[in-house]
Amino acid sequence: MRPKVGHIQFLNCFPLYYGLVTSNCLLGMELIKGTPTELNRMLINGKLDVSPISAMEYARHNDELYLLPNLTVSSDDEVKSILLISKVPPNELNGKKIALTNTSATSQVLVQIILKEKYKINPKYFTCPSDLPQMLHEADAALLIGDDALRALYNPQDFFVFDLGQEWKNLTGQKMVYAVWCARKEFAKENPHLLKEVYGTLRKSMEYSLRNVDEISLAASKWEIFTADFLKDYFLSLNFTFDENYQAGLKYFLNKAKEHGFLKKVPELKFAEV
């Protein structure tokens, strides 16, 4: 049996997967690619055994999932790939339309909390495909994530650009966890040895990439418009671990999400034994 493992097709997860290729570990698992929202749905529906999942969707479906320790996509300030791009300053967005990319769950909540608490405004939100020209044709601001956000940052135009990792840090002083890694409880209970193998492989891949950030930045730049230096700076702005401080940051965010009506309850963080 080859475990079905989700693979986010964004550069922010490149360090978590690069080592799988260099260490020939791909034969031990079936990697299934998708956007964050596609992988969220597949993990929740049982079409994946292990996958990254949006922090919000983990909280909403924690009864079916175990967290994997020390694996996240998070930041302690700038994140560079979760951006609000606006035609006007935030205080002029009150009552205006904001387009939210349909490829994210956590970031949709994050931007609404920040605009409500920091800027004291209530825009009109709608969800749509991630296409900046079309989004700004229909709205006054747009939420972009992942590679689309990086491309907007790399080629800035005449817009106001807000890094939501930095905005969150300034507002709360907390670290921000955007995605966590989870295994379905049923898979974890029936296949503990396979889960340990998958987890161990992912950890080794991440550790290899963190030791060789110049190598992975150069490798990624060969297929992208970004320079290796730009990508190195980006990878170093991200955090992939999940220590107590990041766990506290996630709990803080989930409590805020509940306070604003996006969650019914804040779950206890339960980890798989790996």
Side-chain angles (χ1 to χ4, degrees):
M1 175 185 179
R2 294 172 69 202
K4 294 181 175 63
V5 178
H7 177 189
I8 293 181
Q9 288 181 287
F10 288 163
L11 279 165
N12 60 14
C13 282
F14 190 73
L16 289 170
Y17 295 99
Y18 180 77
L20 300 181
V21 178
T22 59
S23 59
N24 293 318
C25 289
L26 287 175
L27 293 178
M29 63 183 75
E30 182 181 352
L31 278 185
I32 298 173
K33 298 178 180 178
T35 66
T37 49
E38 290 169 343
L39 297 181
N40 291 346
R41 187 167 53 250
M42 285 192 277
L43 184 66
I44 292 164
N45 292 339
K47 294 181 179 178
L48 293 173
D49 302 311
V50 177
S51 181
I53 182 170
S54 301
M56 280 299 300
E57 291 303 319
Y58 161 72
R60 288 167 175 155
H61 299 275
N62 69 96
D63 289 344
E64 305 157 50
L65 304 170
Y66 282 132
L67 290 162
L68 298 187
N70 289 315
L71 283 177
T72 64
V73 177
S74 48
S75 74
D76 186 25
D77 204 305
E78 276 189 325
V79 62
K80 301 183 189 300
S81 57
I82 302 179
L83 305 176
L84 180 69
I85 297 172
S86 177
K87 298 175 184 175
V88 298
N91 59 343
E92 296 180 20
L93 284 171
N94 193 35
K96 300 288 182 63
K97 287 183 178 179
I98 293 183
L100 305 176
T101 173
N102 60 4
T103 57
S104 168
T106 301
S107 302
Q108 290 186 2
V109 173
L110 179 64
V111 70
Q112 292 180 67
I113 292 174
I114 290 171
L115 292 181
K116 179 76 174 181
E117 292 209 355
K118 183 175 180 180
Y119 296 100
K120 316 297 182 189
I121 60 173
N122 291 294
K124 298 174 182 175
Y125 299 99
F126 67 95
T127 302
C128 61
S130 185
D131 180 328
L132 185 60
Q134 185 61 35
M135 294 166 94
L136 291 182
H137 177 71
E138 299 178 22
D140 295 282
L143 169 68
L144 289 182
I145 71 164
D147 297 2
D148 291 332
L150 277 180
R151 281 189 278 273
L153 185 66
Y154 195 68
N155 290 310
Q157 301 180 47
D158 192 20
F159 297 119
F160 295 88
V161 177
F162 301 92
D163 183 306
L164 296 191
Q166 189 172 54
E167 292 284 320
W168 180 251
K169 185 71 176 182
N170 291 342
L171 175 64
T172 69
Q174 297 287 327
K175 303 175 190 308
M176 181 64 205
V177 176
Y178 309 98
V180 293
W181 277 79
C182 285
R184 289 190 59 79
K185 285 185 176 178
E186 183 179 355
F187 173 79
K189 291 174 180 175
E190 294 178 357
N191 304 281
H193 60 293
L194 286 179
L195 180 58
K196 284 186 179 181
E197 286 181 12
V198 171
Y199 175 71
T201 300
L202 291 170
R203 285 285 303 170
K204 287 178 184 175
S205 176
M206 184 190 73
E207 290 164 1
Y208 177 89
S209 295
L210 294 179
R211 289 195 307 270
N212 298 279
V213 66
D214 288 319
E215 176 187 329
I216 68 163
S217 301
L218 183 61
S221 71
K222 292 178 181 176
W223 302 296
E224 299 290 345
I225 64 170
F226 314 113
T227 65
D229 286 342
F230 177 87
L231 289 172
K232 180 180 178 180
D233 186 51
Y234 172 53
F235 291 140
L236 292 177
S237 72
L238 298 173
N239 170 76
F240 300 102
T241 63
F242 198 16
D243 64 22
E244 290 182 357
N245 291 325
Y246 281 92
Q247 291 175 37
L250 175 58
K251 290 176 185 175
Y252 188 92
F253 170 71
L254 295 179
N255 274 296
K256 280 292 180 186
K258 180 176 180 293
E259 184 182 323
H260 285 264
F262 295 107
L263 269 182
K264 293 181 179 177
K265 64 177 182 178
V266 176
E268 181 183 350
L269 304 184
K270 293 185 177 180
F271 291 88
E273 295 183 5
V274 290

